């Protein structure tokens, strides 16, 4: 398996003290803070790494890695390369002429290769970048290369954008297929590869479920349960510059939903709900409600359906 990027690359200091040093995050270093953090202590660029995993992330895929890298600000234009295994006590770094960015190759078994090929088919929609970011999988089988383009950004499904105290940009919209509604942090989906594992964690920064606490709702409406719940059919994409999103270590779920995001989306949905009710007030006034549901003509039921589709189900 080979992963190539044209990013900022790594210096000798970054390789030795951060990439090969488990638990050490380069974003906590003075060099990073000086280059990318403003006077208010906020990052100027989006950051995806946060746990200091570094080289260890490669070894579940294979027993040995080979790496070539050159930092974009390299004074002498030289890069570095090395090869190592998980249990190597010493690593020999060599200077190397190479392009800017990082190139990592990982030795894999046939079984792992087959899993990676399957992975490329399942993660094609794991990314939501704009047109400036190109992400591709090149799958080689019997000397034939298949290129899988990866991007899940559907501009037509966008409902709105806003910012919060934590996130400079939050976009959200209605998922084309509700079952696959997904959240994205810095363009990368937060969910497991296989759907059968999705039930194990929280997959939405928007808090789904009942909108009202049922006892207070019952007191007002004498109903057995709330009929107004938050929909789970939305996707949410956040620009997270300072690692505020509550991701788990595997980046497959969130620990808690985000209150500000939930309030912003709720405000929009309430406005939409009230507008729909106002536009259909005459028909809705003809409806009769009971604890068991509602009664009315088919066209009246259709208007109630419009209310439900305003964002709550």
């Amino acid at each position: 398996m080979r992963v190539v990027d044209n990013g900022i690359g790594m210096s000798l200091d970054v390789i030795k003290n951060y990439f090969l040093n488990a638990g050490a995050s380069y974003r906590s270093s003075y060099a990073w803070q000086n280059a990318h953090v403003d006077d208010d202590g906020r990052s100027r660029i989006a950051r995806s790494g946060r746990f200091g995993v570094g080289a260890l992330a490669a070894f579940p895929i294979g027993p040995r890695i080979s790496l070539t890298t050159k930092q974009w600000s390299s004074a002498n234009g030289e890069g570095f390369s090395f090869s190592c295994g998980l249990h190597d006590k010493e690593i020999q770094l060599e200077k190397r002429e190479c392009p800017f960015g990082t190139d990592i190759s990982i030795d894999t078994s046939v079984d792992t290769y087959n899993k990676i090929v399957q992975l490329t088919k399942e993660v094609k929609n794991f990314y939501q970048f704009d047109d400036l970011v190109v992400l591709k999988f090149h799958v080689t089988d019997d000397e034939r290369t298949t290129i899988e383009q990866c991007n899940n950004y559907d501009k037509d499904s966008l409902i709105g954008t806003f910012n919060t105290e934590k996130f400079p940009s939050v976009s959200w919209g209605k998922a084309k297929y509700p079952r696959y509604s997904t959240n994205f942090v810095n363009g990368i989906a937060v969910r497991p590869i296989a759907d059968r594992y999705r039930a194990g964690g929280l997959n939405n920064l928007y808090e789904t479920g009942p909108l009202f606490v049922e006892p207070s709702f019952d007191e007002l409406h004498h109903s057995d349960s709330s009929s107004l719940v938050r929909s789970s059919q939305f996707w949410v994409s956040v620009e997270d510059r300072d690692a505020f999103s509550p991701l788990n270590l595997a980046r497959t779920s969130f620990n808690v939903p985000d209150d500000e995001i939930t309030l912003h989306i709720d405000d929009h949905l309430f406005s939409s709900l009230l507008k729909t009710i106002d536009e259909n007030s005459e028909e809705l006034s003809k409806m009769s409600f009971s604890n068991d549901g509602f009664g009315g003509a088919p066209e009246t039921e259709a208007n109630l359906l419009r209310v439900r589709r305003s964002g709550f189900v």
Side-chain angles (χ1 to χ4, degrees):
M1 179 179 177
R2 185 183 178 199
V3 180
V4 182
D5 70 48
N6 60 349
I8 64 172
M10 292 184 285
S11 65
L12 180 61
D13 173 66
V14 173
I15 295 172
K16 291 173 58 178
N17 296 314
Y18 297 98
F19 183 72
L20 294 175
N21 187 7
S25 174
Y26 177 57
R27 289 162 180 81
S28 300
S29 69
Y30 173 78
W32 172 270
Q33 303 272 336
N34 187 52
H36 302 298
V37 175
D38 63 21
D39 294 338
D40 296 323
R42 304 296 293 266
S43 175
R44 298 187 184 95
I45 62 175
R47 50 176 290 187
S48 292
R50 67 180 63 185
F51 298 118
V53 177
L56 290 179
F59 290 111
I61 299 172
R64 193 164 192 84
I65 67 171
S66 297
L67 181 145
T68 301
T69 186
K70 182 167 74 171
Q71 192 176 45
W72 69 276
S73 59
S74 175
N76 54 17
E78 292 180 331
F80 299 92
S81 68
F82 67 88
S83 179
C84 70
L86 179 60
H87 301 293
D88 289 356
K89 294 182 179 180
E90 294 184 357
I91 298 173
Q92 182 68 40
L93 274 76
E94 299 178 351
K95 294 181 179 180
R96 175 71 61 86
E97 289 292 331
C98 60
F100 293 114
T102 302
D103 185 330
I104 302 178
S105 295
I106 309 172
D107 295 342
T108 59
S109 65
V110 173
D111 180 59
T112 301
Y113 168 80
N114 290 331
K115 290 179 180 179
I116 293 172
V117 171
Q118 184 62 33
L119 170 70
T120 62
K121 297 177 182 178
E122 296 184 6
V123 302
K124 284 169 55 178
N125 295 325
F126 259 59
Y127 307 92
Q128 192 183 63
F129 299 125
D130 58 31
D131 296 335
L132 298 177
V133 179
V134 179
L135 181 64
K136 300 179 180 178
F137 285 103
H138 295 246
V139 181
T140 302
D141 187 10
D142 296 329
E143 299 184 355
R144 182 186 65 181
T145 299
T146 302
I147 300 177
E148 300 284 1
Q149 183 79 34
C150 302
N151 203 335
N152 192 45
Y153 189 45
D154 181 8
K155 295 180 181 179
D156 294 336
S157 68
L158 177 68
I159 293 178
T161 61
F162 55 87
N163 65 283
T164 69
E165 184 178 347
K166 297 176 182 176
F167 308 117
S169 177
V170 180
S171 303
W172 67 288
K174 186 175 181 180
K176 185 178 297 184
Y177 305 104
R179 178 187 175 195
Y180 298 106
S181 59
T182 300
N183 283 207
F184 300 85
V185 175
N186 295 332
I188 304 173
V190 179
R191 66 177 176 89
I193 302 299
D195 281 339
R196 63 180 177 273
Y197 297 124
R198 291 192 66 184
L202 177 68
N203 294 288
N204 209 321
L205 285 170
Y206 175 61
E207 183 176 1
T208 58
L211 186 63
F212 295 105
V213 178
E214 292 200 8
S216 61
F217 188 85
D218 290 344
E219 289 174 10
L220 291 172
H221 295 272
H222 308 290
S223 174
D224 292 335
S225 63
S226 168
S227 60
L228 198 61
V229 300
R230 295 183 177 98
S231 173
S232 60
Q233 62 187 354
F234 302 120
W235 58 262
V236 177
S237 181
V238 301
E239 180 186 354
D240 186 8
R241 297 183 181 182
D242 294 287
F244 282 131
S245 52
L247 288 166
N248 67 351
L249 181 60
R251 301 181 64 91
T252 56
S253 66
F254 300 101
N255 297 317
V256 292
D258 185 272
D259 290 340
E260 280 193 274
I261 289 176
T262 300
L263 288 174
H264 272 276
I265 295 178
D266 278 354
D267 284 346
H268 177 95
L269 296 179
F270 267 118
S271 296
S272 176
L273 176 64
L274 293 174
K275 180 180 179 181
T276 304
I277 291 174
D278 183 61
E279 291 174 348
N280 298 277
S281 59
E282 184 177 349
E283 288 297 325
L284 290 172
S285 65
K286 300 175 183 178
M287 298 172 60
S288 60
F289 292 87
S290 69
N291 285 344
D292 298 323
F294 61 89
E299 62 271 17
T300 306
E301 296 184 10
N303 283 323
L304 182 60
L305 183 60
R306 293 191 189 100
V307 174
R308 287 174 174 168
R309 285 177 176 171
S310 65
F312 301 102
V313 294

